[in-house]
Amino acid sequence: MARLLPGLAAARTYERRWLPKDLVAGLVLTALLVPQGMAYAELAGLPPITGLYTSITCLLAYAVFGPSRILVLGPDSSLGPMIAATILPLVGADGDPAKAIALASMLAILVAVFMIGAGVAKLGFVADLFSKPTQVGYLNGLALTILVGQLPKLFGFSIDSDTFIDDVRGFVDGVRSGETVAAALVIGLGGLVIILGFARWAPKVPGVLVAVVAAIAAVTAFGLGSEGVSLVGTLPQGFPPLTVPRVELADLSLLVAGALGITLVSLTDTISTSSAFAARTGQEIDADQEMVGIGTANLAAGLFQGFPVSTSGSRTAVAEQSGAKTQLTGVVGALAIAAMLLVAPGLFRNLPQPVLASVVIAASLSLADIPATRRLWQQRRMEFLVSMSAFLGVVLLGVLPGIGIAVAISILNVF
C-alpha cells in the first residue's frame, strides 16, 4: 500500500517541525501557480480558468500518488504548444471553448493512460529515445515558436495563423498597419523586464508575482482597460464537477497522436527533473512510480476540465528555495487557489493579457539553451547537426511533426 500510495507513507512519517516551512512554501508557490496557470492555459488555446482547475487537481493527485517529496506539477510551457497543435485543428472555425475544453480534458486522460501504462510496464527507458542533443534542439525551436506566437498579444492585438511563418508574417503586418496598442505594449514590456530582472538579480523573489501585482495596480490606477488593454476579467466562481469529457470518435486519432508526443516529452522532463532534485536531497528516484504519479495527476486534471500537465523545474526550485519539505507544499498551494476561486474570483479581473504574454515569453526564454548549442558546435559537430535538425523540424513543420522528427533523428543517431 505504501508503494502504491506514497503520499500516505509520507504522511505517516511526517514531522511536526516541517509544518511551518511547508505552509510558507505553499503560499509562496501559489504566487507563481495562479498567473502561470492562466498564462499556460491561454498558450494551450484554452480559457485561463482551466489553468487553475488543472493546477488544483494535479497537485492534490500527485501528493497522494507521487513518490517525490518536493516535485511540483502543473501546466507547463513546453506542453502548451503541443496541446494547442492537437486540439485547435479539431475545434473548428467557430472556436467553441466548451469543445476545446472537452478535447483538452480527453487529451489529459489519454496521457494518463499512456503514462500509467508505461509505469506499470516499467518503460522508463523510453525516455532515452529523446537524446540530449535532440532535446536541446527541440526546446530551442519550441522557445522560438512560443516567443513569436506571443508577440501579437504583447503588442495588444491578435492574429489568426497556424504556422511559425504565418505568425511572423501576421505580427509584422499588424505592426505595420498600426494595430499596436501603446498602453498594452508598455505594460507588457514592463512585466517582462520585472520578471527577467528579478530572475537575474533576485531569484529568490517571485518576479512573476511582482509583475502581476504591479500590472493590476497600474490598470486600476490609470484605467488602462478603457485604453484598449485587454483584461482577464472576473473568473467563474467555484469548482467544476466531476466530468467525463465527450469527444467525437473521428477526433480520437489526432488526440492519441498528440497524447503520445506529450507523454514522451513529459516522461523525459519528469525523469530528468526528479533525478536532479532527488540527487540534491539524497532521495532515490523511482522512475516507474513517477510515471504512475504523473499519470494520475493527468487523470485528475482530465476529469475536472483540465489539460495535460508535467513537472516544472522552475516551480520545484521555488518550492525548494522556500523551504518545502514534503508534498504538503503542493496541497497548500492547491487549497489556496481553490479558496481564491470560492471567495474572491474577481481578484485578477484587472490583470492585463499582455502581462500573461510576458509570463509565457519569460518561460520560453528559460526553455532555450544557447550555451549547450554552442558547446555542441565546438565539441561534437554531428550532434550539433542533430540538434539543428530537431530545431528546424519544430520551427518549420510544427510542434507535433517536430517531435516525430526529433525522435527519429535520436534513434538514427544511436545507430
Side-chain angles (χ1 to χ4, degrees), residues 25-45:
L27 294 176
V28 171
L29 189 61
T30 305
L32 283 180
L33 292 171
V34 173
Q36 286 187 343
M38 291 192 292
Y40 297 161
E42 292 205 332
L43 178 62

mmCIF file with all atom_site columns, all heavy atoms in Angstrom, residues 25-45:
data_model
loop_
_atom_site.group_PDB
_atom_site.id
_atom_site.type_symbol
_atom_site.label_atom_id
_atom_site.label_alt_id
_atom_site.label_comp_id
_atom_site.label_asym_id
_atom_site.label_entity_id
_atom_site.label_seq_id
_atom_site.pdbx_PDB_ins_code
_atom_site.Cartn_x
_atom_site.Cartn_y
_atom_site.Cartn_z
_atom_site.occupancy
_atom_site.B_iso_or_equiv
_atom_site.pdbx_formal_charge
_atom_site.auth_seq_id
_atom_site.auth_comp_id
_atom_site.auth_asym_id
_atom_site.auth_atom_id
_atom_site.pdbx_PDB_model_num
ATOM 1   N N   . ALA A 1 25 ? 6.106  27.750 2.145   1.00 0.00 ? 25 ALA A N   1
ATOM 2   C CA  . ALA A 1 25 ? 6.475  27.411 0.768   1.00 0.00 ? 25 ALA A CA  1
ATOM 3   C C   . ALA A 1 25 ? 5.237  27.261 -0.108  1.00 0.00 ? 25 ALA A C   1
ATOM 4   O O   . ALA A 1 25 ? 5.245  27.653 -1.283  1.00 0.00 ? 25 ALA A O   1
ATOM 5   C CB  . ALA A 1 25 ? 7.286  26.123 0.754   1.00 0.00 ? 25 ALA A CB  1
ATOM 6   N N   . GLY A 1 26 ? 4.164  26.712 0.448   1.00 0.00 ? 26 GLY A N   1
ATOM 7   C CA  . GLY A 1 26 ? 2.930  26.553 -0.320  1.00 0.00 ? 26 GLY A CA  1
ATOM 8   C C   . GLY A 1 26 ? 2.322  27.886 -0.715  1.00 0.00 ? 26 GLY A C   1
ATOM 9   O O   . GLY A 1 26 ? 1.833  28.054 -1.845  1.00 0.00 ? 26 GLY A O   1
ATOM 10  N N   . LEU A 1 27 ? 2.339  28.853 0.201   1.00 0.00 ? 27 LEU A N   1
ATOM 11  C CA  . LEU A 1 27 ? 1.792  30.174 -0.103  1.00 0.00 ? 27 LEU A CA  1
ATOM 12  C C   . LEU A 1 27 ? 2.660  30.913 -1.115  1.00 0.00 ? 27 LEU A C   1
ATOM 13  O O   . LEU A 1 27 ? 2.147  31.600 -2.001  1.00 0.00 ? 27 LEU A O   1
ATOM 14  C CB  . LEU A 1 27 ? 1.656  30.981 1.188   1.00 0.00 ? 27 LEU A CB  1
ATOM 15  C CG  . LEU A 1 27 ? 0.631  30.437 2.201   1.00 0.00 ? 27 LEU A CG  1
ATOM 16  C CD1 . LEU A 1 27 ? 0.652  31.260 3.488   1.00 0.00 ? 27 LEU A CD1 1
ATOM 17  C CD2 . LEU A 1 27 ? -0.774 30.418 1.601   1.00 0.00 ? 27 LEU A CD2 1
ATOM 18  N N   . VAL A 1 28 ? 3.987  30.779 -0.982  1.00 0.00 ? 28 VAL A N   1
ATOM 19  C CA  . VAL A 1 28 ? 4.885  31.393 -1.964  1.00 0.00 ? 28 VAL A CA  1
ATOM 20  C C   . VAL A 1 28 ? 4.656  30.762 -3.337  1.00 0.00 ? 28 VAL A C   1
ATOM 21  O O   . VAL A 1 28 ? 4.608  31.457 -4.365  1.00 0.00 ? 28 VAL A O   1
ATOM 22  C CB  . VAL A 1 28 ? 6.358  31.218 -1.529  1.00 0.00 ? 28 VAL A CB  1
ATOM 23  C CG1 . VAL A 1 28 ? 7.303  31.665 -2.647  1.00 0.00 ? 28 VAL A CG1 1
ATOM 24  C CG2 . VAL A 1 28 ? 6.635  32.016 -0.261  1.00 0.00 ? 28 VAL A CG2 1
ATOM 25  N N   . LEU A 1 29 ? 4.485  29.453 -3.360  1.00 0.00 ? 29 LEU A N   1
ATOM 26  C CA  . LEU A 1 29 ? 4.265  28.744 -4.616  1.00 0.00 ? 29 LEU A CA  1
ATOM 27  C C   . LEU A 1 29 ? 2.976  29.194 -5.294  1.00 0.00 ? 29 LEU A C   1
ATOM 28  O O   . LEU A 1 29 ? 2.905  29.284 -6.520  1.00 0.00 ? 29 LEU A O   1
ATOM 29  C CB  . LEU A 1 29 ? 4.230  27.245 -4.347  1.00 0.00 ? 29 LEU A CB  1
ATOM 30  C CG  . LEU A 1 29 ? 4.211  26.313 -5.559  1.00 0.00 ? 29 LEU A CG  1
ATOM 31  C CD1 . LEU A 1 29 ? 5.454  26.487 -6.397  1.00 0.00 ? 29 LEU A CD1 1
ATOM 32  C CD2 . LEU A 1 29 ? 4.067  24.863 -5.107  1.00 0.00 ? 29 LEU A CD2 1
ATOM 33  N N   . THR A 1 30 ? 1.957  29.486 -4.487  1.00 0.00 ? 30 THR A N   1
ATOM 34  C CA  . THR A 1 30 ? 0.674  29.933 -5.043  1.00 0.00 ? 30 THR A CA  1
ATOM 35  C C   . THR A 1 30 ? 0.846  31.199 -5.876  1.00 0.00 ? 30 THR A C   1
ATOM 36  O O   . THR A 1 30 ? 0.163  31.392 -6.886  1.00 0.00 ? 30 THR A O   1
ATOM 37  C CB  . THR A 1 30 ? -0.334 30.195 -3.908  1.00 0.00 ? 30 THR A CB  1
ATOM 38  O OG1 . THR A 1 30 ? -0.449 29.018 -3.104  1.00 0.00 ? 30 THR A OG1 1
ATOM 39  C CG2 . THR A 1 30 ? -1.702 30.561 -4.453  1.00 0.00 ? 30 THR A CG2 1
ATOM 40  N N   . ALA A 1 31 ? 1.767  32.049 -5.456  1.00 0.00 ? 31 ALA A N   1
ATOM 41  C CA  . ALA A 1 31 ? 2.015  33.294 -6.184  1.00 0.00 ? 31 ALA A CA  1
ATOM 42  C C   . ALA A 1 31 ? 2.483  33.029 -7.610  1.00 0.00 ? 31 ALA A C   1
ATOM 43  O O   . ALA A 1 31 ? 2.262  33.855 -8.502  1.00 0.00 ? 31 ALA A O   1
ATOM 44  C CB  . ALA A 1 31 ? 3.055  34.135 -5.445  1.00 0.00 ? 31 ALA A CB  1
ATOM 45  N N   . LEU A 1 32 ? 3.119  31.883 -7.842  1.00 0.00 ? 32 LEU A N   1
ATOM 46  C CA  . LEU A 1 32 ? 3.523  31.504 -9.190  1.00 0.00 ? 32 LEU A CA  1
ATOM 47  C C   . LEU A 1 32 ? 2.446  30.693 -9.895  1.00 0.00 ? 32 LEU A C   1
ATOM 48  O O   . LEU A 1 32 ? 2.243  30.836 -11.102 1.00 0.00 ? 32 LEU A O   1
ATOM 49  C CB  . LEU A 1 32 ? 4.811  30.678 -9.136  1.00 0.00 ? 32 LEU A CB  1
ATOM 50  C CG  . LEU A 1 32 ? 6.133  31.397 -8.919  1.00 0.00 ? 32 LEU A CG  1
ATOM 51  C CD1 . LEU A 1 32 ? 7.272  30.390 -8.908  1.00 0.00 ? 32 LEU A CD1 1
ATOM 52  C CD2 . LEU A 1 32 ? 6.368  32.421 -10.007 1.00 0.00 ? 32 LEU A CD2 1
ATOM 53  N N   . LEU A 1 33 ? 1.772  29.833 -9.151  1.00 0.00 ? 33 LEU A N   1
ATOM 54  C CA  . LEU A 1 33 ? 0.818  28.910 -9.760  1.00 0.00 ? 33 LEU A CA  1
ATOM 55  C C   . LEU A 1 33 ? -0.329 29.630 -10.451 1.00 0.00 ? 33 LEU A C   1
ATOM 56  O O   . LEU A 1 33 ? -0.773 29.215 -11.525 1.00 0.00 ? 33 LEU A O   1
ATOM 57  C CB  . LEU A 1 33 ? 0.258  27.960 -8.689  1.00 0.00 ? 33 LEU A CB  1
ATOM 58  C CG  . LEU A 1 33 ? 1.233  26.953 -8.084  1.00 0.00 ? 33 LEU A CG  1
ATOM 59  C CD1 . LEU A 1 33 ? 0.584  26.238 -6.901  1.00 0.00 ? 33 LEU A CD1 1
ATOM 60  C CD2 . LEU A 1 33 ? 1.671  25.936 -9.127  1.00 0.00 ? 33 LEU A CD2 1
ATOM 61  N N   . VAL A 1 34 ? -0.815 30.703 -9.851  1.00 0.00 ? 34 VAL A N   1
ATOM 62  C CA  . VAL A 1 34 ? -2.000 31.383 -10.397 1.00 0.00 ? 34 VAL A CA  1
ATOM 63  C C   . VAL A 1 34 ? -1.699 32.064 -11.737 1.00 0.00 ? 34 VAL A C   1
ATOM 64  O O   . VAL A 1 34 ? -2.321 31.738 -12.756 1.00 0.00 ? 34 VAL A O   1
ATOM 65  C CB  . VAL A 1 34 ? -2.590 32.372 -9.376  1.00 0.00 ? 34 VAL A CB  1
ATOM 66  C CG1 . VAL A 1 34 ? -3.714 33.187 -10.019 1.00 0.00 ? 34 VAL A CG1 1
ATOM 67  C CG2 . VAL A 1 34 ? -3.120 31.623 -8.165  1.00 0.00 ? 34 VAL A CG2 1
ATOM 68  N N   . PRO A 1 35 ? -0.752 32.999 -11.802 1.00 0.00 ? 35 PRO A N   1
ATOM 69  C CA  . PRO A 1 35 ? -0.517 33.652 -13.111 1.00 0.00 ? 35 PRO A CA  1
ATOM 70  C C   . PRO A 1 35 ? 0.039  32.708 -14.158 1.00 0.00 ? 35 PRO A C   1
ATOM 71  O O   . PRO A 1 35 ? -0.333 32.789 -15.334 1.00 0.00 ? 35 PRO A O   1
ATOM 72  C CB  . PRO A 1 35 ? 0.474  34.773 -12.772 1.00 0.00 ? 35 PRO A CB  1
ATOM 73  C CG  . PRO A 1 35 ? 1.112  34.359 -11.495 1.00 0.00 ? 35 PRO A CG  1
ATOM 74  C CD  . PRO A 1 35 ? 0.099  33.580 -10.748 1.00 0.00 ? 35 PRO A CD  1
ATOM 75  N N   . GLN A 1 36 ? 0.930  31.787 -13.770 1.00 0.00 ? 36 GLN A N   1
ATOM 76  C CA  . GLN A 1 36 ? 1.476  30.861 -14.754 1.00 0.00 ? 36 GLN A CA  1
ATOM 77  C C   . GLN A 1 36 ? 0.410  29.890 -15.231 1.00 0.00 ? 36 GLN A C   1
ATOM 78  O O   . GLN A 1 36 ? 0.367  29.543 -16.417 1.00 0.00 ? 36 GLN A O   1
ATOM 79  C CB  . GLN A 1 36 ? 2.664  30.094 -14.161 1.00 0.00 ? 36 GLN A CB  1
ATOM 80  C CG  . GLN A 1 36 ? 3.915  30.939 -14.039 1.00 0.00 ? 36 GLN A CG  1
ATOM 81  C CD  . GLN A 1 36 ? 5.116  30.122 -13.613 1.00 0.00 ? 36 GLN A CD  1
ATOM 82  O OE1 . GLN A 1 36 ? 4.997  29.018 -13.114 1.00 0.00 ? 36 GLN A OE1 1
ATOM 83  N NE2 . GLN A 1 36 ? 6.303  30.679 -13.807 1.00 0.00 ? 36 GLN A NE2 1
ATOM 84  N N   . GLY A 1 37 ? -0.451 29.443 -14.329 1.00 0.00 ? 37 GLY A N   1
ATOM 85  C CA  . GLY A 1 37 ? -1.529 28.539 -14.736 1.00 0.00 ? 37 GLY A CA  1
ATOM 86  C C   . GLY A 1 37 ? -2.433 29.179 -15.775 1.00 0.00 ? 37 GLY A C   1
ATOM 87  O O   . GLY A 1 37 ? -2.776 28.566 -16.793 1.00 0.00 ? 37 GLY A O   1
ATOM 88  N N   . MET A 1 38 ? -2.820 30.437 -15.549 1.00 0.00 ? 38 MET A N   1
ATOM 89  C CA  . MET A 1 38 ? -3.678 31.134 -16.503 1.00 0.00 ? 38 MET A CA  1
ATOM 90  C C   . MET A 1 38 ? -2.947 31.396 -17.819 1.00 0.00 ? 38 MET A C   1
ATOM 91  O O   . MET A 1 38 ? -3.517 31.244 -18.910 1.00 0.00 ? 38 MET A O   1
ATOM 92  C CB  . MET A 1 38 ? -4.177 32.447 -15.895 1.00 0.00 ? 38 MET A CB  1
ATOM 93  C CG  . MET A 1 38 ? -5.156 32.260 -14.747 1.00 0.00 ? 38 MET A CG  1
ATOM 94  S SD  . MET A 1 38 ? -6.002 33.797 -14.250 1.00 0.00 ? 38 MET A SD  1
ATOM 95  C CE  . MET A 1 38 ? -4.636 34.708 -13.565 1.00 0.00 ? 38 MET A CE  1
ATOM 96  N N   . ALA A 1 39 ? -1.677 31.783 -17.729 1.00 0.00 ? 39 ALA A N   1
ATOM 97  C CA  . ALA A 1 39 ? -0.908 32.088 -18.942 1.00 0.00 ? 39 ALA A CA  1
ATOM 98  C C   . ALA A 1 39 ? -0.706 30.847 -19.794 1.00 0.00 ? 39 ALA A C   1
ATOM 99  O O   . ALA A 1 39 ? -0.863 30.881 -21.026 1.00 0.00 ? 39 ALA A O   1
ATOM 100 C CB  . ALA A 1 39 ? 0.444  32.690 -18.559 1.00 0.00 ? 39 ALA A CB  1
ATOM 101 N N   . TYR A 1 40 ? -0.374 29.716 -19.161 1.00 0.00 ? 40 TYR A N   1
ATOM 102 C CA  . TYR A 1 40 ? -0.115 28.494 -19.923 1.00 0.00 ? 40 TYR A CA  1
ATOM 103 C C   . TYR A 1 40 ? -1.408 27.889 -20.467 1.00 0.00 ? 40 TYR A C   1
ATOM 104 O O   . TYR A 1 40 ? -1.377 27.186 -21.473 1.00 0.00 ? 40 TYR A O   1
ATOM 105 C CB  . TYR A 1 40 ? 0.628  27.481 -19.064 1.00 0.00 ? 40 TYR A CB  1
ATOM 106 C CG  . TYR A 1 40 ? 2.008  27.947 -18.627 1.00 0.00 ? 40 TYR A CG  1
ATOM 107 C CD1 . TYR A 1 40 ? 2.662  27.366 -17.544 1.00 0.00 ? 40 TYR A CD1 1
ATOM 108 C CD2 . TYR A 1 40 ? 2.649  28.999 -19.284 1.00 0.00 ? 40 TYR A CD2 1
ATOM 109 C CE1 . TYR A 1 40 ? 3.917  27.796 -17.146 1.00 0.00 ? 40 TYR A CE1 1
ATOM 110 C CE2 . TYR A 1 40 ? 3.895  29.436 -18.883 1.00 0.00 ? 40 TYR A CE2 1
ATOM 111 C CZ  . TYR A 1 40 ? 4.525  28.836 -17.813 1.00 0.00 ? 40 TYR A CZ  1
ATOM 112 O OH  . TYR A 1 40 ? 5.768  29.276 -17.421 1.00 0.00 ? 40 TYR A OH  1
ATOM 113 N N   . ALA A 1 41 ? -2.539 28.174 -19.821 1.00 0.00 ? 41 ALA A N   1
ATOM 114 C CA  . ALA A 1 41 ? -3.822 27.737 -20.371 1.00 0.00 ? 41 ALA A CA  1
ATOM 115 C C   . ALA A 1 41 ? -4.098 28.456 -21.685 1.00 0.00 ? 41 ALA A C   1
ATOM 116 O O   . ALA A 1 41 ? -4.519 27.847 -22.675 1.00 0.00 ? 41 ALA A O   1
ATOM 117 C CB  . ALA A 1 41 ? -4.950 28.000 -19.366 1.00 0.00 ? 41 ALA A CB  1
ATOM 118 N N   . GLU A 1 42 ? -3.859 29.758 -21.708 1.00 0.00 ? 42 GLU A N   1
ATOM 119 C CA  . GLU A 1 42 ? -4.052 30.517 -22.949 1.00 0.00 ? 42 GLU A CA  1
ATOM 120 C C   . GLU A 1 42 ? -3.057 30.082 -24.020 1.00 0.00 ? 42 GLU A C   1
ATOM 121 O O   . GLU A 1 42 ? -3.384 30.069 -25.205 1.00 0.00 ? 42 GLU A O   1
ATOM 122 C CB  . GLU A 1 42 ? -3.930 32.009 -22.669 1.00 0.00 ? 42 GLU A CB  1
ATOM 123 C CG  . GLU A 1 42 ? -5.059 32.561 -21.809 1.00 0.00 ? 42 GLU A CG  1
ATOM 124 C CD  . GLU A 1 42 ? -5.274 34.037 -22.019 1.00 0.00 ? 42 GLU A CD  1
ATOM 125 O OE1 . GLU A 1 42 ? -4.305 34.744 -22.371 1.00 0.00 ? 42 GLU A OE1 1
ATOM 126 O OE2 . GLU A 1 42 ? -6.428 34.489 -21.852 1.00 0.00 ? 42 GLU A OE2 1
ATOM 127 N N   . LEU A 1 43 ? -1.844 29.728 -23.608 1.00 0.00 ? 43 LEU A N   1
ATOM 128 C CA  . LEU A 1 43 ? -0.861 29.218 -24.557 1.00 0.00 ? 43 LEU A CA  1
ATOM 129 C C   . LEU A 1 43 ? -1.367 27.936 -25.219 1.00 0.00 ? 43 LEU A C   1
ATOM 130 O O   . LEU A 1 43 ? -1.089 27.680 -26.389 1.00 0.00 ? 43 LEU A O   1
ATOM 131 C CB  . LEU A 1 43 ? 0.467  28.948 -23.834 1.00 0.00 ? 43 LEU A CB  1
ATOM 132 C CG  . LEU A 1 43 ? 1.620  28.372 -24.659 1.00 0.00 ? 43 LEU A CG  1
ATOM 133 C CD1 . LEU A 1 43 ? 2.021  29.327 -25.775 1.00 0.00 ? 43 LEU A CD1 1
ATOM 134 C CD2 . LEU A 1 43 ? 2.816  28.066 -23.761 1.00 0.00 ? 43 LEU A CD2 1
ATOM 135 N N   . ALA A 1 44 ? -2.126 27.149 -24.460 1.00 0.00 ? 44 ALA A N   1
ATOM 136 C CA  . ALA A 1 44 ? -2.687 25.906 -24.984 1.00 0.00 ? 44 ALA A CA  1
ATOM 137 C C   . ALA A 1 44 ? -3.984 26.133 -25.761 1.00 0.00 ? 44 ALA A C   1
ATOM 138 O O   . ALA A 1 44 ? -4.597 25.162 -26.226 1.00 0.00 ? 44 ALA A O   1
ATOM 139 C CB  . ALA A 1 44 ? -2.943 24.919 -23.845 1.00 0.00 ? 44 ALA A CB  1
ATOM 140 N N   . GLY A 1 45 ? -4.428 27.391 -25.879 1.00 0.00 ? 45 GLY A N   1
ATOM 141 C CA  . GLY A 1 45 ? -5.656 27.689 -26.607 1.00 0.00 ? 45 GLY A CA  1
ATOM 142 C C   . GLY A 1 45 ? -6.912 27.484 -25.791 1.00 0.00 ? 45 GLY A C   1
ATOM 143 O O   . GLY A 1 45 ? -7.985 27.240 -26.350 1.00 0.00 ? 45 GLY A O   1
#
